[in-house]
């Protein structure tokens, strides 16, 4: 892990010298956020542990983070907390968004100092309503940095294809020769379609479920940004049951009304809901490298925005505006 982290810091030319950084951690690869910032020269790092669930506790996340930092000899400038206090906010230069930190609310933003940035580890368009209080950031002149996943150093487009295929494998769907309807209206559409075709699938891309036509589909693959309501609701699932009753509905991104699916006797994968708004398969399925690249890219984008470097469509660092946030169809 330390070797991979050091390699990424070198490749991305990440330098956080003198900065104070707040990062999310967990008991798996996200524990590397704190060590990445420290190895990149951060003066102080606060690691925020997640709310306890049946899958992990705050103590497990803290221990994973502490162990990795201790191995690197970097415990001195590390603090681990279950939440961000106001004093920490007032001294933070980079607030890295993540599961244990979001939503990033007005009360946090208004306490950030002038030279600070809210940093995302994904593309601007992937931001969901309520994830960050954008209006508060605008009012307080706090930029929101984001990552261009198509940038050669990040390579996240390939990760999406690999994850999608891994999810279909988990669902026991042989992709080669399969007819798959992909419900997607986001920039991921081309990436997922090409990945499926390379694996031998026949793919039809539609923007909405009601565009699916009657056919012997092997899978209906959902890849739409989550919303307050499920992206496949009772009327959508009724349409799928009529036109593709034997297909497996596969949730890559965007929630499915599983109660309605059971009513129509449709098979849905994953069998258990991943959690509202979450991906159908975690990125760490592919091992540590994709997550470490995403972490380093998120911190590098924040470094670039803080330095006042200009952004362009093909640059790694992007900025988030209110027009990027998804509010519905």
């Amino acid at each position: 892990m330390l070797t991979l982290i050091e390699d990424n810091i070198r490749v991305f030319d990440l330098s956080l010298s003198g900065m104070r950084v707040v990062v999310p951690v967990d008991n798996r690869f996200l524990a590397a956020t704190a060590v990445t910032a420290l190895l990149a020269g951060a003066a102080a790092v606060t690691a925020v542990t997640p709310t306890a669930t049946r899958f992990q506790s705050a103590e497990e996340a803290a221990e994973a983070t502490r162990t990795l930092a201790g191995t690197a000899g970097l415990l001195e400038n590390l603090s681990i907390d279950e939440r961000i206090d106001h004093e920490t906010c007032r001294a933070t230069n980079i607030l890295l968004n993540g599961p244990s930190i979001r939503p990033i609310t007005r009360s946090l933003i208004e306490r950030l100092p002038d030279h600070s940035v809210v940093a995302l580890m994904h593309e601007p368009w992937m931001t969901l309503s309520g994830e960050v209080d954008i209006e508060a950031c605008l009012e307080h002149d706090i930029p929101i940095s984001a990552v261009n996943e198509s940038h050669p150093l990040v390579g996240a487009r390939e990760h999406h294809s690999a994850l999608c295929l891994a999810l279909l494998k988990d669902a026991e769907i042989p992709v080669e020769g399969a007819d798959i309807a992909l419900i997607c209206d986001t920039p991921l559409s081309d990436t997922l379609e090409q990945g499926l075709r390379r694996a031998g699938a026949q793919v039809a891309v539609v923007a909405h479920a009601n565009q699916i036509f009657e056919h012997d589909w092997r899978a209906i693959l959902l890849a739409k940004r989550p919303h307050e309501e499920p992206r496949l609701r009772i009327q959508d699932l009724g349409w799928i049951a009529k036109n593709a009753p034997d297909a497996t509905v596969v949730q890559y991104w965007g929630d499915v009304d599983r109660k309605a699916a059971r009513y129509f006797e449709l098979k849905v994968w994953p069998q258990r809901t991943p959690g509202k708004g979450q991906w159908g398969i975690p990125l760490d399925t592919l091992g540590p490298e994709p997550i470490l690249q995403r972490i380093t890219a998120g911190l590098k984008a924040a470094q670039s925005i803080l330095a006042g470097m200009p952004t362009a469509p093909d640059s790694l660092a992007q900025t988030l505006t209110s027009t990027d946030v998804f509010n519905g169809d």
Side-chain angles (χ1 to χ4, degrees):
M1 282 288 286
L2 288 176
T3 299
L4 289 172
I5 291 169
E6 290 169 346
D7 287 346
N8 275 306
I9 289 172
R10 176 181 49 80
V11 168
F12 282 84
D13 192 25
L14 180 65
S15 177
L16 304 179
S17 180
M19 294 186 189
R20 295 179 176 272
V21 184
V22 175
V23 299
V25 295
D26 62 14
N27 63 348
R28 290 180 57 76
F29 302 134
L30 205 59
T33 53
V35 175
T36 300
L38 288 165
L39 280 172
V45 173
T46 299
V48 181
T49 57
T51 302
T53 68
R54 60 195 173 110
F55 302 109
Q56 70 172 327
S57 67
E59 290 77 14
E60 289 173 339
E63 182 59 27
T65 303
R66 193 177 291 111
T67 299
L68 189 58
T71 303
L74 296 170
L75 285 172
E76 183 179 353
N77 296 322
L78 172 68
S79 60
I80 301 176
D81 294 305
E82 295 184 12
R83 62 187 63 83
I84 310 169
D85 61 44
H86 293 169
E87 291 306 313
T88 299
C89 259
R90 292 188 179 98
T92 295
N93 300 115
I94 297 176
L95 177 57
L96 186 64
N97 187 29
S100 60
I101 290 178
R102 61 177 171 255
I104 296 179
T105 60
R106 175 175 292 272
S107 63
L108 292 176
I109 293 163
E110 64 188 10
R111 289 177 172 83
L112 291 173
D114 291 339
H115 189 63
S116 62
V117 61
V118 171
L120 308 178
M121 289 186 282
H122 53 66
E123 295 204 344
W125 68 267
M126 291 180 173
T127 306
L128 304 180
S129 179
E131 190 172 344
V132 180
D133 191 326
I134 299 176
E135 295 304 318
C137 287
L138 290 172
E139 288 176 22
H140 293 274
D141 293 322
I142 303 295
I144 305 171
S145 65
V147 174
N148 175 9
E149 294 194 349
S150 297
H151 192 277
L153 292 182
V154 183
R157 296 294 186 186
E158 291 74 18
H159 300 159
H160 283 294
S161 292
L163 270 179
C164 185
L165 293 173
L167 183 62
L168 291 167
K169 182 179 180 181
D170 286 349
E172 299 182 347
I173 296 175
V175 176
E176 186 172 1
D179 287 356
I180 297 175
L182 171 62
I183 306 174
C184 187
D185 58 358
T186 74
L188 283 179
S189 177
D190 288 346
T191 297
L192 296 180
E193 180 186 5
Q194 291 167 12
L196 290 167
R197 290 190 184 279
R198 284 195 299 269
Q202 301 296 316
V203 185
V205 182
V206 298
H208 305 286
N210 61 12
Q211 295 172 329
I212 292 174
F213 49 89
E214 188 173 352
H215 184 68
D216 185 22
W217 298 108
R218 184 67 182 84
I220 308 296
L221 180 63
L222 175 65
K224 298 186 75 169
R225 283 194 287 183
H227 186 41
E228 289 301 319
E229 297 295 326
R231 301 320 311 268
L232 290 182
R233 295 173 286 187
I234 187 168
Q235 60 268 38
D236 304 310
L237 293 161
W239 182 267
I240 291 171
K242 177 183 176 182
N243 291 282
D246 298 323
T248 299
V249 177
V250 180
Q251 177 185 343
Y252 185 66
W253 203 28
D255 301 310
V256 177
D257 184 339
R258 279 169 165 71
K259 183 177 180 181
R262 287 193 296 271
Y263 174 81
F264 291 113
E265 298 182 342
L266 288 169
K267 181 181 178 182
V268 180
W269 192 268
Q271 293 176 324
R272 288 181 177 272
T273 177
K276 186 173 175 60
Q278 295 182 17
W279 298 85
I281 184 169
L283 184 58
D284 63 14
T285 301
L286 302 179
E289 291 189 56
I291 290 182
L292 295 182
Q293 287 175 326
R294 184 175 291 246
I295 291 167
T296 315
L299 292 171
K300 179 62 181 182
Q303 174 197 331
S304 299
I305 297 302
L306 277 178
M309 296 179 65
T311 61
D314 60 347
S315 61
L316 185 149
Q318 304 290 304
T319 54
L320 175 69
T321 66
S322 57
T323 58
D324 294 307
V325 178
F326 179 66
N327 291 300
D329 288 326

